[in-house]
Each structure stands twice: as C-alpha cells, then as structure tokens.
C-alpha cells in the first residue's frame, strides 16, 4: 500500500495509531482493497521521494464504504513495525526473485498484492 510521505507517511501512521486507507479511485486497486481482510498484513511503501518499503501494517477492521455511491471501499490500518532497513525500489528492481512483483509491473497502483515468496524476500532484504 503506497502513500507519499509528504502527504501521509509511516511516522504519521505511528503517531495516529491507526487510519483509514481511503481515497483509492482506481478499479484494480479497489479490487485489491476488497480482497483484504482484518488481520491481513501489508507493506507500507513510501512513494515519490523515498521510494521504499518502510514498514508493516495490519488491516484492523472490515472494509467500509468510501463515498456515498458504495462503489469504493476504505480499510482501517494500524502500524505493526518499522523495517530497520527500508527496502528501496532500486533494490527491489535489482532482485531477480522480485521481477514479477506487482509493485514493478503495475507501478501506478496505490494498492497491489504481494505474493508470499515476495513478502519473505522483502523481509530478508530488510534484515540484511
């Protein structure tokens, strides 16, 4: 899940304790949001400036309508932990095991799935 750190970054989420991930207005990203369930974990990715996975958050509640028409959804998220070593987009692109990651393939999406093996690899890279 991507956010520009100058608009709402990891530090903001930690300060607030939780927030609604809302305002998503892309059909593909909406499908990914709808697939998420309470208890699922997601990477927090700083887009634009940092371009790095910086933390892990948890989906803290069921999806709710985002807007009056009922077409869009929002999710409550809460911070779990900061990655000691953020994993940059350049590192992700340089890693052959991540070549098919949706973050790279569909770079404009603000919400994209992460496969189990990609999740494991990102965590390993953050601890290296």
């Amino acid at each position: 899940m991507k956010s520009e750190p100058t608009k709402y970054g990891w530090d903001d989420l930690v300060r607030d304790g939780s927030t609604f991930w809302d305002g998503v207005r892309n059909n593909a990203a909406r499908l990914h949001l709808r697939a998420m369930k309470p208890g699922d974990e997601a990477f927090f990715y700083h887009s634009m400036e940092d371009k790095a996975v910086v933390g892990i958050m948890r989906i803290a509640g069921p999806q709710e309508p985002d807007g009056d028409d009922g077409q869009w959804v929002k999710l409550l998220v809460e911070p779990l932990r900061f990655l000691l070593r953020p994993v940059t987009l350049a590192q992700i692109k340089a890693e052959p095991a991540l070549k098919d990651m949706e973050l790279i393939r569909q770079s404009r999406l603000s919400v994209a799935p992460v496969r189990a093996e990609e999740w494991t690899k990102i965590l390993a890279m953050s601890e290296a």
Side-chain angles (χ1 to χ4, degrees):
M1 299 172 89
K2 293 182 186 178
S3 184
E4 295 177 33
T6 56
K7 293 187 178 180
Y8 195 87
W10 176 259
D11 291 340
D12 298 308
L13 180 60
V14 170
R15 178 197 66 222
D16 296 346
S18 66
T19 193
F20 277 103
W21 206 269
D22 59 2
V24 173
R25 295 298 184 263
N26 173 283
N27 287 322
R30 172 179 55 181
L31 291 173
H32 301 315
L33 272 180
R34 286 183 186 254
M36 300 176 91
K37 306 286 184 247
D40 286 350
E41 294 180 3
F43 286 130
F44 193 114
Y45 178 87
H46 278 174
S47 61
M48 302 301 286
E49 294 174 8
D50 294 351
K51 293 185 181 177
V53 176
V54 297
I56 300 173
M57 45 189 188
R58 177 178 25 235
I59 308 307
Q63 56 187 270
E64 297 183 22
D66 185 11
D68 296 332
D69 63 10
Q71 291 185 21
W72 305 99
V73 296
K74 62 184 177 182
L75 291 171
L76 186 65
V77 297
E78 61 188 12
L80 278 184
R81 68 180 173 100
F82 182 73
L83 296 184
L84 293 176
R85 291 183 41 152
V87 180
T88 67
L89 181 59
Q91 290 172 306
I92 292 168
K93 285 182 173 183
E95 174 53 55
L98 299 176
K99 67 178 175 46
D100 294 327
M101 193 170 183
E102 295 302 315
L103 175 68
I104 297 168
R105 287 183 5 87
Q106 297 186 5
S107 62
R108 299 198 63 166
L109 286 182
S110 61
V111 179
V114 177
R115 295 170 191 88
E117 61 274 11
E118 295 166 345
W119 182 273
T120 301
K121 186 64 176 176
I122 296 280
L123 290 181
M125 291 169 70
S126 75
E127 295 167 359

